[in-house]
Amino acid sequence: MYELTNDPFYETYMQFDSCFIDYCLAKSEEPYQGESSHREALEFFMETLAEEAIFPWKFDIGKAKGNVIDTASFFAVPRLLRKDRHGNNLYDSDYSNPKVNEKMPYWYAFLEPPIEAGRHSAEEFEMLNNALFPSGIDSVEVYDWSTDWSDYFNSGHEWWGASCWTCYDKSLDRYAVILVSFTE
């Protein structure tokens, strides 16, 4: 497994300097094997992040539990209905506010980070995902992973939330690992 460091996606991602989502694009020299390939991509990114971490943290990839989820639902963005009297965005979604140890949807991590400066629009979310999956999402398989197997997710568990996904794009034969964990 190796990181695709020169992929054009990273140029688009750099436009969102206040984004609270970590991304890694990787490719394997081994043939695709479903969940085990997703787990390998996840382990690769966690090893990379652990090497770069200011404070050491650990992970046990064997404890990670993954499930295939619906790709269209994963990338769906709810419609903004209005702002409430406190300036909070209200969406046509049954997910509203994270609770301790609750997993958040991908769209929420991008559109509603805990710091106002990190908020982005639905159009920007679409632009980032188009750069992430330039061939579209029809050939993408997504795994949603538990977040109780690494110290990386501890800060998110304290307050805002934590999430972990791996995406395999069959058309490009590459993996995208998407991690979220942040606290104030």
Side-chain angles (χ1 to χ4, degrees), residues 55-184:
F55 301 105
W57 47 267
K58 301 176 235 165
F59 65 93
D60 183 351
I61 198 72
K63 292 182 179 178
K65 295 177 187 79
N67 297 304
V68 176
I69 60 173
D70 179 66
T71 302
S73 297
F74 176 71
F75 288 104
V77 179
R79 193 169 48 91
L80 177 62
L81 298 174
R82 64 181 173 82
K83 288 188 178 282
D84 68 13
R85 66 179 184 208
H86 303 290
N88 298 314
N89 293 328
L90 300 175
Y91 298 92
D92 66 346
S93 169
D94 53 356
Y95 185 85
S96 57
N97 292 313
K99 295 168 183 60
V100 174
N101 288 325
E102 182 181 13
K103 294 188 69 135
M104 72 182 71
Y106 179 39
W107 66 267
Y108 191 88
F110 191 83
L111 299 178
E112 295 293 328
I115 297 173
E116 184 75 30
R119 291 190 179 171
H120 301 288
S121 69
E123 292 79 17
E124 290 170 318
F125 184 63
E126 184 176 319
M127 179 179 79
L128 185 70
N129 286 319
N130 286 340
L132 190 58
F133 300 104
S135 301
I137 62 169
D138 291 340
S139 63
V140 175
E141 179 181 66
V142 180
Y143 270 75
D144 180 29
W145 295 89
S146 60
T147 59
D148 58 353
W149 51 273
S150 174
D151 295 349
Y152 172 90
F153 301 106
N154 287 354
S155 60
H157 291 163
E158 290 174 8
W159 179 62
W160 184 55
S163 291
C164 175
W165 304 283
T166 55
C167 306
Y168 176 66
D169 187 336
K170 297 170 190 162
S171 69
L172 297 174
D173 188 30
R174 74 174 187 192
Y175 299 87
V177 180
I178 304 171
L179 305 177
V180 178
S181 181
F182 190 77
T183 192
E184 249 187 351

